[in-house]
């Protein structure tokens, strides 16, 4: 058990809310895509087109949000304009000495 009070544990994960929003958008977009299937019910082409466009936009936005969160979590932490991203860690330590 950690004796520190709750406030001193530090900030939470900043990517949790965008990742949850991305997953929610993917779920809603997938649900909307399954409800706007023209082979199950006859409908007006405009209604079907708008449903497919809306579900596509929701799926794309959810995928972009989730991909950005994954890239933030698993990206290179120490890349900068003066550091070669292809250099190995051993080369970087010998160059600093």
């Amino acid at each position: 058990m950690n004796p520190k009070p709750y406030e001193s544990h530090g900030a939470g994960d900043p990517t949790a809310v965008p990742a949850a929003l991305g997953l929610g958008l993917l779920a809603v977009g997938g649900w909307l895509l399954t409800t706007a299937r023209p082979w199950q019910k006859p409908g007006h082409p405009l209604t079907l087109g708008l449903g497919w466009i809306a579900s596509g936009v929701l799926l794309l936005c959810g995928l972009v949000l989730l991909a950005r969160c994954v890239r933030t979590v698993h990206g290179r932490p120490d890349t900068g304009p003066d550091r070669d991203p292809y250099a190995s860690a051993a080369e970087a330590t010998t160059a600093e000495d």
Side-chain angles (χ1 to χ4, degrees):
M1 187 165 134
N2 197 346
K4 293 182 181 179
Y6 182 74
E7 293 83 22
S8 64
H9 285 286
D13 187 11
T15 60
V17 173
L21 181 63
L23 288 173
L25 287 174
L26 283 172
V28 170
W31 172 78
L32 187 60
L33 186 64
T34 60
T35 59
R37 292 182 285 190
W39 56 88
Q40 283 194 342
K41 59 183 178 199
H44 194 271
L46 182 63
T47 306
L48 292 173
L50 287 175
W52 281 20
I53 289 171
S55 65
V57 167
L58 288 172
L59 287 170
L60 185 64
C61 290
L63 188 64
V64 166
L65 272 173
L66 203 58
R68 288 183 66 189
C69 293
V70 168
R71 187 176 177 189
T72 301
V73 170
H74 294 289
R76 290 190 195 110
D78 54 355
T79 57
D82 58 339
R83 180 169 161 82
D84 182 17
Y86 300 107
S88 68
E91 292 174 355
T93 56
T94 57
E96 291 175 0
D97 292 336

